[in-house]
């Protein structure tokens, strides 16, 4: 009996230890399952402002695996913002179209908004939960009329191999940034940080200043209201961000004469970075999306390829910010032909799997909740939640962003002092 009791005790102990050590059952990923007749024949058109959209066309092919008789095509509309309203009411109206948050509540675009399907309608069964909450825009009634398929941020392309070659580490704080720029200059690099700087519409200085300005406004509702109302007193809230721009120029981290040789904020920025002698190239995520295609277009990069990543600019001693904003968003034309199949396509597209696939192909940041970044964007995945912000959630308006963009440009170019730029808040165009 004693042996039996001992055996049972040992057996129970083994079972308990086994249970404690076992891994929890993994939840299966959601798999798209067709809800309509898979033999259905119809056409779906997606209209937008891109010249081409290969990543979306790959999604068309995958959707055709479920619905082989549905014809899908992408169509670019010239003069997109001005022609879209008429296109939505025409005979050949698109089923899905590019849309933007600033259309909502804007009388000028009311004729467009009235065509937008409510994608949050439970009957559509679209998984909006797979998207980061800060990227979801709702109207005054709580409807989701637009949904992001790509997101963007601001930062700098980093030549990781160049840092390794020179025995330097990619900076993660403001002090480290200034120090590493000085080190590169001493090693013969004329402009450790570069970017397109010829026009105020460029995002060069703005990329440095905007995230810091937005972060300061996010902490103070009164400041945000003053800034959105174009109150001149709100200029003071720009001061810390503008001082960072001024310090970069004063510390010779940026050589404007070298930057002015870059002729545009996209292709030429990328090709200049691929020359291999630029440690850090300041730009937006939309520019980064063009890097993959242009690797083969750069003779220098083809001969001497190097590893590069996109990182936040560390404008404070705590690090940089991840300003998480929608890049491209879709709406469904609720007055289109074959609306049910159009919504079915959106149900297919708005999933972690498909959005990640498309972001990877386009080389933009995925909008999904799992933050499945391309390795290129890995540094942004390391930004803590308290330094990750969505301007749309904060309540930052487009007129406000114009003020900081132009102010940063004027200060960076030396056309205005920080004091002068601060006093001109609300007057920049």
């Amino acid at each position: 009996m004693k042996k039996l009791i001992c055996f049972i005790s040992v057996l129970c102990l083994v079972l308990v230890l086994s249970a404690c050590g076992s891994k929890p059952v993994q939840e299966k990923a959601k798999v798209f399952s067709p809800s309509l007749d898979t033999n259905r024949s119809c056409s779906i058109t997606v209209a937008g402002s891109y010249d081409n959209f290969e990543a979306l066309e790959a999604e068309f092919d995958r959707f055709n695996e479920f619905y082989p008789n549905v014809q899908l095509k992408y169509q670019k509309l010239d003069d997109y913002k001005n022609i879209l309203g008429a296109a939505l009411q025409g005979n050949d109206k698109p089923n899905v179209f590019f849309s933007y948050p600033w259309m909502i509540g804007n009388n000028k675009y009311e004729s467009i908004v009235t065509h937008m399907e409510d994608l949050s309608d439970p009957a559509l069964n679209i998984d909006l939960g797979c998207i980061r909450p800060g990227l979801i825009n709702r109207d005054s009634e709580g409807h989701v009329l637009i949904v992001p398929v790509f997101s963007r941020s601001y930062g700098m392309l980093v030549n990781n191999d160049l840092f390794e070659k020179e025995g330097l580490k990619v900076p993660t704080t403001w002090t480290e940034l200034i120090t590493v720029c000085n080190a590169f200059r001493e090693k013969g690099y004329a402009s450790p940080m570069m970017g397109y700087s010829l026009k105020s519409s460029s995002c060069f200085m703005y990329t440095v200043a905007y995230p810091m300005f937005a972060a300061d406004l996010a902490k103070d509702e009164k400041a945000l209201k003053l800034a959105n109302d174009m109150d001149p007193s709100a200029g003071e809230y720009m001061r810390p961000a503008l001082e960072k721009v001024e310090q970069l120029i004063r510390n010779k981290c940026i050589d404007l004469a070298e930057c002015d040789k870059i002729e545009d904020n996209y292709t030429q920025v990328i090709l200049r970075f691929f020359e291999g002698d630029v440690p850090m190239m300041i730009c937006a995520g939309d520019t980064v999306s063009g890097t993959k295609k242009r690797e083969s277009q750069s003779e220098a990069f083809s001969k001497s390829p190097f590893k590069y990543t996109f990182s936040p600019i560390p404008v404070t001693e705590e690090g940089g910010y991840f300003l998480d904003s929608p890049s491209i968003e879709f709406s469904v034309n609720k007055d289109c032909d074959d609306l049910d199949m159009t919504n079915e396509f959106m149900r297919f597209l708005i999933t972690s799997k498909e959005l990640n696939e498309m972001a990877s192909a386009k080389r933009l940041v995925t909008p999904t909740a799992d933050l499945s970044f391309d390795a290129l964007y890995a540094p942004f995945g390391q930004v803590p939640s308290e330094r990750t912000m969505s301007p749309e959630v904060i309540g930052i308006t487009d007129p406000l962003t114009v003020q900081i963009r132009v102010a940063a440009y004027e200060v960076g170019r030396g056309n205005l002092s920080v004091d002068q730029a601060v006093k001109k808040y609300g007057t920049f165009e």
Side-chain angles (χ1 to χ4, degrees), residues 52 54 289-297 362-363:
N52 52 67
E54 295 98 334
S289 70
T291 54
K292 186 69 174 179
K293 185 180 292 186
R294 284 160 184 82
E295 287 181 357
S296 61
Q297 296 176 10
K362 187 62 181 173
R363 212 169 210 185

Side-chain angles (χ1 to χ4, degrees), residues 202-210 245 249 254 256 408-409 412-413:
S202 73
C203 68
F204 184 26
M205 304 302 180
Y206 171 70
T207 298
V208 176
Y210 179 42
V245 172
I249 300 296
I254 298 169
L256 289 176
Y409 173 80
R413 298 293 306 186

